[in-house]
Amino acid sequence: MLSSKSAQATIGRVPLIRNQALLLRSFHQSNLVANNSMHRGGSNSPSKSPSPMYAQMMAQRRTKPPRNTVIKFVPQQEAWVVERMGRFSRILEPGLAILVPVLDRISYTQSLKEVAVEIPTQSAITQDNVTLELDGVLYYKVVDPYKASYGVANAEFSVTQLAQTTMRAEIGQMTLDTTLAERNLLNHNIVNAINAASESWGIACLRYEIRDIHPPAKVVEAMHSQVSAERSKRAQILESEGSRQSAINVAEGAKQAQILASEADKMQQINRAMGEAEAIRQTAQAEAVAIERIALAIRGTDGGEMAASLHVAQQYVEAFGNIAKQANTIVVPASANDVAGMVTQAMSVFSTVTANQKRHHSANKPLDEGDGGFGSEQINH
């Protein structure tokens, strides 16, 4: 009974093995043709790397599922998918596993580690019709081994193709400046689009990083010219702002200097005026004291009026003598040679002024009979 089942399982696996062998043979032939064409092109021709699909098939060939040896040890961070008689049976967790010979077969081995896949360089057109050359790195992880085994034929190849198409679609919705400035937003949008599509495959895209962006050479030159123009503009603006601030500072300094100078001039004038006023006050007080003493001397001394008259006549003669020393044009009285007449005239003026003062004093202070004629004695004196 077991031999018949084993024969049926072997017969069922023959077409699958034959198809895989034919597919590998075709890939080998295509790779040989590419290498021959490269060698025919000369030694200087660039080397051509194998196709991504061929690399994926070779990787699957190197990591083919292990054979059923009844007792198996599943490594950490791996999940083995077991089929019994061609149907899904269970998923083996890390550790010891016992399989039924012939009936159980390990069909798939899924790594639960985070995998980094290099996205090859591809061209994409932005919203403003600029062709870019981009490449990146995709980080994904298998979260459901069952879906990763039966939901898609080649999970890594499918995710890579999905990342390329999604990146083209996202770049087509953005301008060149936005693409260069907002890489994080672009990466986030690509991750969300991949996760929405790969949910049924049991794969979660953790992150996507754009590695290099290569705009056309003319666009790069235009960008460099724009940057130079922006920097020149910024330099001119800063220079003009510096000149403006310098002029403002100079004007403010001149204004403050003028204000301080005017304040100083004001204080100087105030001090000068206060000094002149004090000098005038002191001079007036001195003159008042002198006049008061002269008056007391005239009233209290016999012959005081004659002495005052003599002093006035002396000052008159001295002033008349200094007239010719101070100016070229002078006005002199007609009797300039009559000194005695001038002195007599000066004394008469003094006598008249004295008489007027006495009359004014007597008019302001009338006689008081009850005081015994004190007012008349004061006037006569």
Side-chain angles (χ1 to χ4, degrees), residues 12 17 88 104 125 160 166 204 218 230 252 282 320 328 350 378-379:
I17 295 172
F88 171 75
D104 292 340
I125 301 176
T160 303
T166 304
K218 293 184 178 180
E230 286 291 335
E252 287 290 337
Q282 294 294 334
F320 184 78
N328 296 328
F350 178 76
Q378 184 178 4
I379 292 172

Side-chain angles (χ1 to χ4, degrees), residues 120-185:
T121 303
Q122 60 178 338
S123 61
I125 301 176
T126 61
Q127 189 178 10
D128 50 354
N129 297 325
V130 178
T131 303
L132 301 177
E133 298 289 336
L134 305 98
D135 58 357
V137 180
L138 175 65
Y139 299 87
Y140 75 94
K141 183 179 181 181
V142 175
V143 294
D144 192 343
Y146 176 81
K147 292 182 179 180
S149 301
Y150 297 101
V152 62
N154 190 334
E156 186 173 339
F157 178 74
S158 301
V159 170
T160 303
Q161 296 300 315
L162 181 60
Q164 291 180 350
T165 55
T166 304
M167 184 166 59
R168 291 193 189 98
E170 291 294 332
I171 289 177
Q173 299 176 3
M174 304 172 67
T175 61
L176 176 61
D177 295 337
T178 307
T179 303
L180 297 176
E182 299 182 0
R183 288 193 179 186
N184 292 331
L185 178 61

Side-chain angles (χ1 to χ4, degrees), residues 65-316:
R67 295 179 180 180
N68 183 1
T69 58
V70 181
I71 297 176
K72 303 295 293 184
F73 295 95
V74 181
Q76 185 67 31
Q77 288 299 100
E78 284 191 8
W80 291 0
V81 179
V82 178
E83 294 180 354
R84 176 167 293 182
M85 293 184 296
R87 296 183 60 183
F88 171 75
S89 174
R90 66 187 185 277
I91 297 176
L92 300 180
E93 301 292 338
L96 176 63
I98 299 175
L99 302 176
V100 178
V102 181
L103 297 181
D104 292 340
R105 181 172 64 91
I106 302 173
S107 300
Y108 302 98
T109 58
Q110 299 293 341
S111 176
L112 303 181
K113 300 177 182 179
E114 184 177 351
V115 181
V117 181
E118 181 179 1
I119 306 300
T121 303
Q122 60 178 338
S123 61
I125 301 176
T126 61
Q127 189 178 10
D128 50 354
N129 297 325
V130 178
T131 303
L132 301 177
E133 298 289 336
L134 305 98
D135 58 357
V137 180
L138 175 65
Y139 299 87
Y140 75 94
K141 183 179 181 181
V142 175
V143 294
D144 192 343
Y146 176 81
K147 292 182 179 180
S149 301
Y150 297 101
V152 62
N154 190 334
E156 186 173 339
F157 178 74
S158 301
V159 170
T160 303
Q161 296 300 315
L162 181 60
Q164 291 180 350
T165 55
T166 304
M167 184 166 59
R168 291 193 189 98
E170 291 294 332
I171 289 177
Q173 299 176 3
M174 304 172 67
T175 61
L176 176 61
D177 295 337
T178 307
T179 303
L180 297 176
E182 299 182 0
R183 288 193 179 186
N184 292 331
L185 178 61
L186 181 60
N187 296 335
H188 181 71
N189 294 338
I190 293 174
V191 169
N192 292 337
I194 293 175
N195 286 330
S198 63
E199 184 179 0
S200 61
W201 300 344
I203 297 174
C205 179
L206 302 180
R207 58 190 177 275
Y208 182 86
E209 298 293 338
I210 295 178
R211 190 162 54 185
D212 292 322
I213 299 178
H214 302 285
K218 293 184 178 180
V219 176
V220 174
E221 293 178 1
M223 292 171 62
H224 289 170
S225 300
Q226 182 179 2
V227 171
S228 300
E230 286 291 335
R231 292 186 180 278
S232 299
K233 174 185 175 183
R234 230 179 294 172
Q236 292 177 0
I237 291 174
L238 292 176
E239 185 177 357
S240 63
E241 288 291 336
S243 301
R244 174 175 172 269
Q245 191 64 35
S246 176
I248 291 174
N249 293 338
V250 171
E252 287 290 337
K255 175 183 175 182
Q256 293 294 330
Q258 292 180 358
I259 291 174
L260 294 176
S262 63
E263 291 289 338
D265 190 14
K266 174 183 175 182
M267 294 301 299
Q268 183 180 3
Q269 292 179 2
I270 290 173
N271 293 335
R272 185 183 296 110
M274 293 177 63
E276 292 177 355
E278 186 64 24
I280 293 173
R281 188 180 300 110
Q282 294 294 334
T283 302
Q285 290 180 0
E287 290 180 354
V289 172
I291 292 173
E292 182 179 0
R293 290 183 179 180
I294 292 172
L296 290 175
I298 292 174
R299 288 195 300 269
T301 305
D302 294 338
E305 293 183 357
M306 295 299 296
S309 300
L310 178 61
H311 182 67
V312 170
Q314 184 178 0
Q315 290 182 348
Y316 181 82

